[in-house]
Amino acid sequence: MIGGSFAVCVADRYVTNQSLWDRSRCDQCHHPLSWWQLLPILGFFLQHGHCHWCHHPLSWRFPVSELFCALLALGGTLWLKFPPTEFIILITWLTILTLEDHATRTVHPYALWGGALILTCFNLHQCWINLYHTWILLLLSLGGLGILVLKKQLGSADLILISLWALRYGIYFTWEVVLIAAFITLFYIIDKHTTQPVPFIPFLVCALGIGFCLLK
């Protein structure tokens, strides 16, 4: 729950160009929030869904995202048997990137690289094993995706995500995830009849979740 609240807060402040170090405030009256108002899920219901100060309706995105992240963390650790700390960090990081990319089609470099470095440090041994055994496939795959980045058909953040997943979860699993993400994106474009660029990270994250449930 805390991870979900943190993720929405970080993404919202990036989108609205606010400092991460400022106190949380009501979006309407800008009154600083008290500690009990910031309690995940509970703070929303203690205020009856309205700001304690100006009574403006609060957004449901915070309690919904907090509950969603909590359920994901619980399912990942109990059903998929992921290490709890690593999985919570992964969910929080991907939620931040998904919200940022969906809102602005960009992600903050600190959020992108910070999460990537933290998760790599958690799995240095596994990353080294995958790199040692499949470095040729990794080089060819990421080189091909790098060409798409240069042609502006893929974002550099997308390439970093795919690279990390290839090192952590294996190149074959990552190929399957990227393929699923490509099909989801294609269906979305056809359904929306759009010719505009679409943010790819939300589709990658969705495909990763499908991959965890069906392929791992």
Side-chain angles (χ1 to χ4, degrees):
M1 290 189 293
I2 294 175
S5 179
F6 176 76
V8 175
C9 178
V10 170
D12 185 65
R13 293 193 179 198
Y14 171 67
V15 171
T16 57
N17 294 314
Q18 299 181 55
S19 171
L20 291 177
W21 310 110
D22 291 342
R23 286 189 59 182
S24 296
R25 300 173 182 271
C26 171
D27 292 335
Q28 185 68 20
C29 68
H30 306 295
H31 194 288
L33 302 183
S34 302
W35 65 268
W36 60 272
Q37 294 172 284
L38 298 173
L39 294 174
I41 298 179
L42 186 59
F44 180 88
F45 290 102
L46 286 175
Q47 298 178 87
H48 305 288
H50 293 77
C51 174
H52 178 73
W53 312 105
C54 68
H55 307 294
H56 188 268
L58 301 175
S59 173
W60 277 89
R61 59 180 174 162
F62 281 96
V64 169
S65 61
E66 290 161 1
L67 180 60
F68 182 67
C69 287
L71 293 176
L72 283 178
L74 186 63
T77 54
L78 296 181
W79 180 32
L80 300 176
K81 307 302 182 182
F82 279 101
T85 303
E86 176 194 344
F87 197 63
I88 291 172
I89 294 174
L90 176 66
I91 291 172
T92 303
W93 181 53
L94 293 182
T95 301
I96 293 171
L97 299 184
T98 297
L99 293 174
E100 289 181 352
D101 195 39
H102 180 266
T104 66
R105 290 186 175 85
T106 61
V107 296
H108 197 287
Y110 289 162
L112 176 64
W113 287 106
L117 290 174
I118 291 172
L119 288 170
T120 301
C121 290
F122 265 97
N123 303 283
L124 278 176
H125 180 67
Q126 185 61 50
C127 290
W128 170 252
I129 291 176
N130 288 330
L131 179 62
Y132 179 78
H133 289 289
T134 60
W135 68 270
I136 296 179
L137 291 176
L138 283 167
L139 187 62
L140 292 174
S141 301
L142 300 180
L145 293 176
I147 294 175
L148 295 179
V149 173
L150 293 176
K151 291 184 175 181
K152 308 297 183 182
Q153 296 177 350
L154 189 72
S156 56
D158 304 327
L159 179 59
I160 293 170
L161 272 183
I162 294 170
S163 302
L164 176 65
W165 295 347
L167 287 173
R168 173 62 180 92
Y169 305 115
I171 187 65
Y172 300 111
F173 172 77
T174 304
W175 280 347
E176 294 169 331
V177 168
V178 173
L179 186 61
I180 293 171
F183 275 114
I184 297 174
T185 306
L186 179 61
F187 289 143
Y188 175 85
I189 292 173
I190 294 173
D191 181 64
K192 297 298 182 180
H193 304 287
T194 181
T195 58
Q196 299 298 318
V198 296
F200 194 43
I201 289 180
F203 299 108
L204 278 174
V205 173
C206 179
L208 183 68
I210 295 173
F212 281 155
C213 294
L214 300 181
L215 304 176
K216 273 291 185 180

